[in-house]
Amino acid sequence: MGYVIALAGKGGTGKTTIAALLVRLLRENKKSSILAIDADPNSNLNEALGVEIKDTVGEILDKVSAHPESVTAGMSKEKFIEYQLRTALAEGNGFDLLAMGKPEGPGCYCYVNNVLRNIVNKLLTEYNYIIIDNEAGLEHLSRRTTRSCDSLLIVSDDTVVGLKSAERILALADNLKIKIGKRYLLLNRIRNQLKEFPEINGVNFCGVIPWDEEIIKLSSEGSSVESLNMNSISIEALRKMGDKIWQ
């Protein structure tokens, strides 16, 4: 299995942008095969990476669950879902992207979720690095993708609310029995120099990404990080943390 980096954090912390920047840094520094997984129904990782998606995993599973007759004759349901997922992979510049999409609708998804996890685990063996952009609830990480990661990166701002949210995410990961290698807290969009670094039990402090007007402009426009200067504030800050996150 490749090296899995999972990101989580409350909305508005810039988590998805950081996930996209990690993909870019890994591509340019490691020159390895990379799979990006958008596991947050509310995020737009494809836009941050500058790629279009045709289908999401949620849409594929909805079709199979609601219309089992759609499975190609002579093909098992698992093989059919795997084929559909591979077709849904979006090809970017040096990476592939799989969008998980919305949570499941009404009906029983136990079988398709088990099938999905088996297929995703198979996919993970085909890439050197996997970046998973999660929702705060970690639903996909615990049930529909993989139940383990080598690095869990919690993204927060420096507010009390943000840090409390980070603590809840870490507690949730433990309750869900997700196997985690390294745990890091990353503070993003920080306007002023911190007098002291926050301490959260069971997690290491990774670093700070300062407020970056260029990133804010890209996010507001829905533009890709591909247009970001390689020496930008955010990339420089994240580059210094790289060895902690992916080694």
Side-chain angles (χ1 to χ4, degrees), residues 81-121:
I81 294 174
E82 180 177 358
Y83 171 77
Q84 293 292 321
L85 260 59
R86 290 185 179 276
T87 302
L89 281 171
E91 295 184 12
N93 180 16
F95 64 89
D96 291 333
L97 171 66
L98 182 66
M100 301 302 291
K102 67 179 181 64
E104 59 233 28
C108 180
Y109 281 72
C110 297
Y111 172 77
V112 289
N113 277 336
N114 286 332
V115 168
L116 173 62
R117 190 159 49 246
N118 290 337
I119 295 170
V120 171
N121 282 332

Side-chain angles (χ1 to χ4, degrees), residues 14-31:
K15 169 181 59 68
T16 296
T17 300
I18 290 174
L21 289 175
L22 281 175
V23 170
R24 177 172 167 176
L25 282 171
L26 281 169
R27 183 193 70 208
E28 295 175 356
N29 296 332
K30 295 293 183 179
K31 303 186 185 302

